[in-house]
Amino acid sequence: MNEPYQAGSTLVTIERHILDQQKKFPGASGEFTRLLYDMALAGKIIAHATTRAGLAGVLGSTNLQNSYGETQKNLDIFADQTIFRMNDHTNRLCAMASEEHEELLDIPPRFGTGKYVLLYDPLDGSSNVDVNVSVGTIFAIHRKTTDGERGTLEDVLQPGRNLVAAGYMTYGPSTMMVYTTGQGVHGFTLDPGIGEFLLTHPDISIPEPPKYYSANHGQEKYWTHGVRRYLHWLQGIDGEGHTPLSHRYIGSMVADFHRNLLEGGVFFYPGDMRQPDKPYGKMRLMFEAQALAFIVEQAGGYASDGVSNILDIQPHNLHQRVPLFLGNRATVEIAEQFIEQHDRDWTAAYLAYRNQQQIPV
Ligand code: P6P
């Protein structure tokens, strides 16, 4: 990874960087480029609201719940509407899907459609926003695959291997946007004084060896034997007694992921057998895991559901859940080894869920 932004280094805005990336795609129409611009602009708007939430009266919760039964925060709604309204009229998308909505989001009939599908988690970790802890936005872009004008679930339920772009914004001490189009991973920091995302982290590569692991120890009693053995390996208790990794867990996956991407580390949210018919954990395949899996693989890392590569999963449901191990490749692969060795019952139950046929539309 090149040195982050140093005084005197070249000044590159995200708009110029995206344009430069487009030059690598001969014949690119510019639609894809403008779609990434639009996501950067949405990130600026959400950052502006998030960093002054307490002053703007947008803290707190609604009396609404999303499709996961989670109470929606005012900022969840604001971020969700900002991204939708930024993209519904641009003729670049055939459909959208948001973590906050049960169903596919159609492009309003009064607007034209385009050849891309946008999936997004508008404000990941939003339960933290009222206590001023970093939160984030996650997005992923697929190319339309069906013939009709309007997007269908078939256009959305594609494996992560097909993604054309993915990115996230993290709203923390500074606001950053990190994205990939399959040409490496690049990080930009928002200069709020001029409203520009400036290139600060070109060509991000996840460092070795990993420094951190991120997991919710409060769930440990539910974890399978293999996952607990993995945890003890990470802590240097099990195995060759290597140097323990430090534990860092924010409760906002984007923030945990971002730190681990820059410093080296693994985030994991495993499945368990607490409810044998729900062995899949909490993370969402389409709105969180696919995007971060594409990014981490582009940065030299790896994302697994504990059995195999997240990017190879054929989704069967818009709100499909996955166990998630995300970070340095060798460190994530060790999780797969512990699970293969010790968690055969869990693996069978999870694969029965994962390998379901796509729910007919
Ligand atoms: P828990 C936020 O809801 C989220 O999806 C991730 O951002 C975060 O890492 C995780 O859930 C926290 O879940 O069960 O540890 O509170």
Side-chain angles (χ1 to χ4, degrees):
M1 177 175 92
N2 296 350
E3 281 307 306
Y5 174 72
Q6 302 291 340
S9 66
T10 54
L11 282 177
V12 179
T13 63
I14 193 167
E15 285 79 3
R16 181 135 62 79
H17 192 274
I18 293 168
L19 263 180
D20 291 345
Q21 292 276 303
Q22 175 186 311
K23 291 171 187 167
K24 298 174 185 174
F25 298 92
S29 66
E31 286 308 290
F32 177 55
T33 299
R34 293 183 189 89
L35 173 49
L36 286 170
Y37 287 167
D38 293 343
M39 289 311 294
L41 179 54
K44 294 176 191 175
I45 294 169
I46 295 168
H48 181 66
T50 305
T51 52
R52 52 191 294 279
L55 301 171
V58 292
L59 288 176
S61 300
T62 67
N63 57 3
L64 305 170
Q65 290 191 334
N66 64 15
S67 49
Y68 305 92
E70 298 163 336
T71 300
Q72 290 183 309
K73 297 283 188 181
N74 289 311
L75 268 175
D76 279 321
I77 305 291
F78 175 82
D80 181 63
Q81 290 178 350
T82 297
I83 295 172
F84 184 82
R85 290 167 52 212
M86 184 67 72
N87 289 285
D88 67 347
H89 59 285
T90 60
N91 298 355
R92 298 196 247 280
L93 300 176
C94 64
M96 287 185 253
S98 165
E99 183 185 287
E100 297 300 327
H101 296 269
E102 181 67 27
E103 305 299 332
L104 205 55
L105 299 174
D106 292 327
I107 302 302
R110 67 184 182 282
F111 299 131
T113 60
K115 60 185 177 182
Y116 297 106
V117 178
L118 174 67
L119 296 107
Y120 60 93
D121 179 357
L123 205 66
D124 181 73
S126 58
S127 58
N128 289 301
V129 77
D130 290 358
V131 292
N132 198 29
V133 168
S134 297
V135 292
T137 296
I138 306 172
F139 67 91
I141 301 170
H142 277 295
R143 189 175 284 109
K144 187 176 189 317
T145 57
T146 61
D147 297 332
E149 187 200 347
R150 301 266 154 193
T152 68
L153 208 49
E154 185 181 344
D155 293 305
V156 178
L157 295 182
Q158 299 184 53
R161 197 58 73 192
N162 294 359
L163 283 171
V164 291
Y168 62 86
M169 281 68 101
T170 174
Y171 311 109
S174 60
T175 293
M176 283 195 68
M177 178 166 167
V178 174
Y179 86 97
T180 184
T181 58
Q183 307 287 322
V185 178
H186 311 284
F188 302 79
T189 301
L190 180 66
D191 180 335
I194 59 172
E196 288 285 2
F197 277 111
L198 298 176
L199 181 64
T200 50
H201 296 71
D203 300 309
I204 296 173
S205 174
I206 190 166
E208 293 287 353
K211 281 186 184 170
Y212 302 110
Y213 76 91
S214 305
N216 180 350
H217 280 282
Q219 311 274 341
E220 208 173 309
K221 68 178 279 190
Y222 303 120
W223 291 351
T224 56
H225 180 62
V227 171
R228 286 201 300 272
R229 288 290 303 276
Y230 177 58
L231 170 67
H232 294 156
W233 182 87
L234 292 168
Q235 295 170 324
I237 299 169
D238 204 330
E240 312 77 50
H242 62 77
T243 306
L245 275 64
S246 293
H247 179 236
R248 295 283 189 283
Y249 192 69
I250 298 173
S252 275
M253 177 165 60
V254 171
D256 279 317
F257 174 74
H258 184 70
R259 180 204 49 251
N260 294 348
L261 182 69
L262 297 188
E263 299 288 331
V266 61
F267 172 99
F268 66 94
Y269 205 106
D272 58 47
M273 294 298 270
R274 183 178 355 180
Q275 294 175 277
D277 64 329
K278 296 179 179 178
Y280 37 70
K282 174 179 184 181
M283 296 299 130
R284 293 80 171 185
L285 173 60
M286 300 311 293
F287 301 109
E288 295 164 327
Q290 272 197 1
L292 299 185
F294 184 28
I295 291 167
V296 81
E297 189 163 289
Q298 281 287 311
Y302 177 48
S304 172
D305 58 4
V307 177
S308 55
N309 195 321
I310 288 283
L311 294 175
D312 296 328
I313 297 175
Q314 172 54 56
H316 54 72
N317 181 296
L318 187 57
H319 294 276
Q320 184 170 336
R321 306 284 192 130
V322 281
L324 187 57
F325 299 78
L326 182 63
N328 293 75
R329 173 169 287 277
T331 311
V332 171
E333 287 172 345
I334 287 171
E336 291 179 335
Q337 293 162 21
F338 276 113
I339 289 169
E340 183 182 22
Q341 191 177 352
H342 300 287
D343 296 340
R344 293 186 186 281
D345 291 348
W346 173 82
T347 301
Y350 168 62
L351 290 181
Y353 165 78
R354 184 183 83 175
N355 297 338
Q356 291 175 52
Q357 292 308 307
Q358 179 175 332
I359 293 177
V361 174

